[in-house]
Amino acid sequence: MTVTIPLLSLRNVSRSFGTFKAVTDVSEDFGPEELNCIIGPNGAGKSTLLNMICGTLAVSSGSIHFGDESIGGMSGDKIARLGIARKFQVPSVFPSLSVVENFHVSASNALSANELDEILSTVNLSVDRDTTASELPHGKKQWLEIGMALSMQPKVLLLDEPTAGLSVDETRATSEFLRTLRGKVTVVVIEHDMAFVRDLKAHTMVLHHGKVIASGSFEDIENNDLVRDVYLGRR
Amino acid sequence: MEALIPFSLNALTLISILLMVSMGMAIIFGLMNVINLAHGEFITIGAFTLVVVQGLGGNFWLALIAAPIVGYIIGLALEKALIARIYENPLHAILVTWGLSLILQQVIQLIFGASPQSITGPFPGSIDILGVAYPAYRLFLIAFALATFAATILVFKKTKFGLDLRASIQSSEMASVMGVNPDKINARAFASGAALAALAGVLLAPLTAVTAYMGINYLARSFFVVLVGGAGSISGVAAGSGLIGSLETALSYEIPTTVAQALVLALAIVILRFRPQGILPA
Amino acid sequence: MTTTILNTTPGQITRKQKLGPASIIAIGIILALLILPAFVQGYTLTSYRDVLLFALFALSLDLFWGKTGILSFGHATFFGLGAYGMAIMSIHFSIDPAIVSLVGLLAGVGMAALVALIVGYFILYGGVRGAYFTIVTLALTLIANHVAVGWPSVTGGDSGLIGVPPFSILGWSFADPISSYYLALIVLGACLLSSMWVMSGRLGLILTAIQDDEIKVQTLGYKTPLLLLMTFAASAAMAALAGGLYAAGNGFVAPDMIALLLSTEVIIWVAVGGSGTLVGAVIGTAIVWWLQQKISSINASAWPIVIGTFFILLVLVFPKGPAAFVLDKVKKLRRDKEDDR
Amino acid sequence: MSKSNVTRRQTLATLGKGAALAGVATLGMPAIVRAQSGPIKLGFLSGLTGLETILGETQLNCFKLAVSQINAASGIAGRQIEFIVEDDQTTTKGAIDKARKLINQDQVDATIGLIASLTHVAARSVTTPAKKLLMYTTYYEGDVCERYFFSTGQIPNQQIDPSVEWLTANEGKSTYIIGSDYVWPRKSADAIKAAMEAKGGKVLDAEFFPFGTSDFGPALDRVKSANPDFVWCMCAGNDLITFLKQFNSFGLGKQLFSQGLDDVFSQAEPELTNGAISDQSYFMGIESEENAKFKAAYRDMFGPKPINAIGEATYNAVYLYKAAVEKAGSTETEAVIDALGQVEFDAPQGKVSFASNNVARSNSILARANNGDWDVIKDFGQVDPVVPGCSL
């Protein structure tokens, strides 16, 4: 891929629901063509942050830029068209459509037969091409959704707990797959599974009570006392 | 000043009518989310209960007690036989209740004949209010509607049935964990809605023509009262009736009634754009 | 992106690339209707013409309801706007007779599309979906009916407007039963085949996807309210087309062509044929029309009870429509036979 | 609908099959000759379900009464009458579909019935182009002028003008009109205004309400402020009952006039209608030999049910048709239409016949409701119908 991918940068992003502050003052850059992870305990504000990036939630204050473009408060569909794709936590595919039809809906341009075959083999769904999505097992739904995100030819891929409910083998395959994306697309992963994050060797940011308490390479994070106290220490 | 009294009383009458016919709708559509196109026929059933009671020599007050009971029983039977199977699918609800409405209309007409039924209401005369004579029955209607409304609110806020119902609407799984049987609660809620509609039928009978088709006149408006007021809350019905009733009365003094009604409906659509949850959401 | 939504290059959407059973049925029906005038003559043919136009009306509803899953209770508004547009243009204005039908038709279709766009904007962009949409469109029909009845200087009030000329265009007149029948058939055939073609492509998939999960479709980059709005407007325009031709065919309009009863009847037609199949709308209209003729001629008061009972059975016994019910049975029979071998 | 009706329909269906067989046997004959033997077919079309059921039923009963009397007395020129009953559901679609069925499939010689204005418009869109006779039997706004369309009910100059003459002389010079929002009340209101002004009177205001109006309170409030000498109501059907209930409860002490009131309403609601004045071409209270026989025959056939002007006009239409066929010596439509202008019938209301505008010369009787019955105030006798600019 020869397109240069702009930087996704968050500046002082906050979001509150009534008096509750879900995300406070988050500033972070997600470097182009890099693997990024966001970790943190339940309720740390990870999903809220992701929702703001992809436009499902409005930003209370602060700004989100994608390259030169300010996307905080832009509508979801517009952000998607800029090239930011998202995979939900619970696999969200279109249950009444077949696998191939799901791709036809998600692809940003009409897919040629070759492109379709390529995607199908990438996510290992070639044999299931005409299966109705509702009949796929959980793991394959996850892959289908990742495939749908890829078919949008995104510049940024936001993944909300991609390994939730997957077997050990499936998790390993996911991790291997994400590493192949390095250098092609900016990936931001929300994850719980520490082994998985370690495996990814990604740039990692730790959220706690809506605030960033640490950010850096995974080794740095692992050796950060504060992080160990609030999060890693609990394991 | 003197012109203001009949105006406000007229507005209050219309608001009370809307309130009475919409309360049942607020339960069945607002709370339970069932689009019940047979709502009007529950009103008709109430009015015909009055016809039967008076035909058997009973009076208006007896009918006022009998109608909600009849409405409750019919509502319960219909819920068990039909409605319980369509909670999941709004489209099925629309088709089934519309079919039900056609059948009920025609059956009532086959039993009672097509001509309007003759009934006798209480309080034939009028009462002087600050020097203005106003029909006594309308004053009774206003008072009765307000009392029924207050009672309904109390039932929903204070009794176990009300709490159980609200719990089972929030999450039927949660409710069943708490030991509430959602099927039972749904049946009772639907039947209560039907009972309230039947009660409205008795109250309307002295004001309007009692025929098998009388209910359809109230169907669309009660939907609107509930939508504008805020589906999911019983108190929303008061807001909805208040807004639609007073607006329609006020406009009817200025422009032709037909135009006024169309205008109020159009306004309701605009309100839904900006307040999709209604004026007084749950 | 929007430009590619309507794009269906053959071979791209594999499951639909073959001629599906629905298309075969559609083409079969159209061919059968083409030779119908050989067996039916004179004024009876005008009844069949009206059935075709009502089938077009049902098709328009199925285009929206069947494909988006959102039920419009207000489709008679658009049918009525088409009919009134045609009538008002040809009666109140002295337009050159060579083009008056066309102007009337365009006025009606344009009005319907405009009203659909305005109302659709208010409610679809307001996030109103599902049951709420149904109730709001129900109100729309009530308003439209109030206007039709309460504005007699333009609409003729309760008794409507008479004297709508037969459809003609640049000297070609469709006044006699046979030519007006073929006009209706051509319009219906064209609308049916083209909407089946469009809906078998990406737009159809996206609309189905919206039914499944609208938020997800938005995160894929589609303006879902816009897509729904456009489908609604197209559906309204098609309903108005049916209404305009109906008014020209029968020579008059009346307020019950823009009333709640018609809105519910068209829902019945679509539901009987099985919503979402498009061709089912046409079949359903014909079946219900035929049944209604027969039953109400035997006993007038039986019809409401029969149709009411039918609705209930429709949901409880064959929720996908009687056609799908029969098809499923046939499929099952066939499968059983294959298993036996 | 009663069970006997179903059996009658079935009998007719069997008869119809017999006729079809006979048709095959005589296939060689010219159509016109074939049509002139065998039974005469009449179509009855009206609103038998829905909002106008009560009027439609009375109308149908009167139609059946006339047919059975004629058949018992050896039919029309020796030919029996067969009839087909169809329900228009008070919709244009229903009226068109059923009119087409009657004309094309059943091939009736004439169609009789209809109530609401929109249904006669719809039915005419079928019968007139097909050049078939349609007889409309409801009092209406009276502005149709077509060769194939006859009406046996009153039109404004037969109903409104005489009423206004008496009302302005006896009740007062000012009135307030309240009506349902549709063509008959609106057009009639224009006629009332003209008639009132001609007598030096005045219409203070005219208000029209959509069907299904549940509250006339604000309107009655305005009536009270306007203080007219009498109130003129043209609410239709059930809305008329609603209006009466609320009018009485407000106790305005005003005389009520409504030309929509008749025996069907007064017997259903004697208390509500008490004291109201109406003008019809027929009341059950008319004292004449014909009316006594008519009422007795009706009671024998259908029990003690009220009859109104719409019903009686239907009865008259069948008999006028019979007279015209006998005069023409044929059921051929053009000949029958020519003959219709020359025949008359001794109706329960008195003699009726058609004027040159195809509207019946009918009676105009002003009466006051008295516990379900109507006391005649003034009988204007037979009035010639006037449709401006219409002569056929």
Side-chain angles (χ1 to χ4, degrees), chain D residues 105-223:
Chain D
Q105 188 183 323
D106 302 323
Q107 310 218 319
V108 297
D109 296 296
T111 306
I112 296 174
L114 302 169
I115 302 167
S117 294
L118 71 135
T119 58
H120 84 67
V121 173
R124 256 165 46 222
S125 81
V126 176
T127 54
T128 300
K131 296 193 163 47
K132 295 288 180 186
L133 177 60
L134 176 65
M135 299 178 87
Y136 181 43
T137 70
T138 308
Y139 49 90
Y140 83 118
E141 57 276 1
D143 54 356
V144 181
C145 187
E146 280 174 11
R147 177 171 166 81
Y148 299 93
F149 179 79
F150 285 74
S151 75
T152 54
Q154 290 168 297
I155 62 171
N157 88 293
Q158 297 168 305
Q159 197 174 24
I160 289 167
D161 295 355
S163 305
V164 167
E165 189 186 316
W166 187 87
L167 288 164
T168 46
N170 295 282
E171 290 293 337
K173 299 279 186 194
S174 67
T175 189
Y176 197 106
I177 297 175
I178 287 181
S180 292
D181 195 350
Y182 76 109
V183 163
W184 172 67
R186 279 184 180 273
K187 286 206 171 166
S188 300
D190 294 339
I192 294 167
K193 265 178 205 159
M196 288 291 287
E197 276 158 22
K199 297 284 172 195
K202 192 172 185 322
V203 174
L204 299 176
D205 206 346
E207 285 194 49
F208 302 97
F209 292 82
F211 284 111
T213 292
S214 51
D215 184 17
F216 286 98
L220 290 166
D221 183 27
R222 291 187 288 271
V223 169

Side-chain angles (χ1 to χ4, degrees), chain B residues 98, chain C residues 54 57-58 61 73 256 259-271 288 292 303 311, chain D residues 89 91 93:
Chain B
W98 184 253
Chain C
F54 283 125
F57 179 34
L61 177 69
F73 228 114
D256 67 352
L260 205 52
L261 185 68
L262 188 62
S263 273
T264 56
E265 279 183 313
V266 70
I267 293 173
I268 301 169
W269 302 337
V270 176
V288 177
Q292 184 163 11
W303 173 243
F311 266 22
Chain D
Q89 297 159 317
T91 63
K93 188 163 73 67

Side-chain angles (χ1 to χ4, degrees), chain B residues 3 6-7 10 13-14 17 106 109-110 114-120 124-126 132-135 138 205-211 213 216-218 221 249 252-253 257-258 261, chain D residues 1 48-51 53-54 57 181 186 207-222 224 238-239 241-243 245-246 248-250 264-265 268-271:
Chain B
F7 167 75
N10 280 327
T13 307
L14 186 58
I17 293 174
Q106 206 60 32
Q109 178 154 311
L110 283 174
S115 43
Q117 304 294 318
S118 191
I119 56 98
T120 326
S126 52
V132 180
Y134 201 72
R138 287 174 171 247
L207 284 178
T208 110
V210 177
T211 70
Y213 298 95
I216 43 177
N217 292 331
Y218 305 98
R221 290 163 107 202
T249 309
S252 84
Y253 277 84
T257 310
T258 310
Q261 286 190 3
Chain D
M1 198 134 296
L48 298 173
T49 52
L51 292 168
T53 312
I54 176 63
E57 275 181 12
D181 195 350
R186 279 184 180 273
E207 285 194 49
F208 302 97
F209 292 82
F211 284 111
T213 292
S214 51
D215 184 17
F216 286 98
L220 290 166
D221 183 27
R222 291 187 288 271
K224 195 178 180 184
N238 296 328
D239 287 6
I241 300 282
T242 302
F243 177 80
K245 286 186 174 180
Q246 303 190 8
N248 289 356
S249 80
F250 268 80
V264 167
F265 281 103
E269 297 282 2
E271 276 179 38

Side-chain angles (χ1 to χ4, degrees), chain A residues 54-172:
Chain A
C54 65
T56 320
L57 272 180
V59 179
S60 295
S61 67
S63 69
I64 304 177
H65 276 83
F66 183 53
D68 300 332
E69 205 136 6
S70 167
I71 61 170
M74 215 182 245
S75 68
D77 56 281
K78 214 166 170 188
I79 292 174
R81 285 195 296 279
L82 288 175
I84 300 182
R86 186 219 179 136
K87 190 210 152 303
F88 288 81
Q89 186 171 354
V90 180
S92 99
V93 295
F94 302 117
S96 47
L97 300 181
S98 73
V99 167
V100 168
E101 287 172 337
N102 266 287
F103 288 134
H104 278 299
V105 171
S106 64
S108 48
N109 289 303
L111 289 170
S112 73
N114 285 340
E115 287 168 330
L116 189 62
D117 290 343
E118 198 185 318
I119 292 182
L120 282 167
S121 68
T122 311
V123 293
N124 237 332
L125 285 170
S126 298
V127 286
D128 300 299
R129 53 186 299 150
D130 289 329
T131 310
T132 307
S134 61
E135 288 164 11
L136 290 176
H138 179 81
K140 287 192 169 177
K141 278 187 192 151
Q142 293 275 35
W143 278 107
L144 172 57
E145 201 190 356
I146 291 173
M148 286 164 72
L150 287 176
S151 74
M152 293 168 70
Q153 301 179 339
K155 300 185 179 96
V156 176
L157 186 57
L158 307 171
L159 302 162
D160 199 346
E161 303 210 16
T163 64
L166 293 191
S167 67
V168 179
D169 286 349
E170 284 171 332
T171 307
R172 191 178 311 124

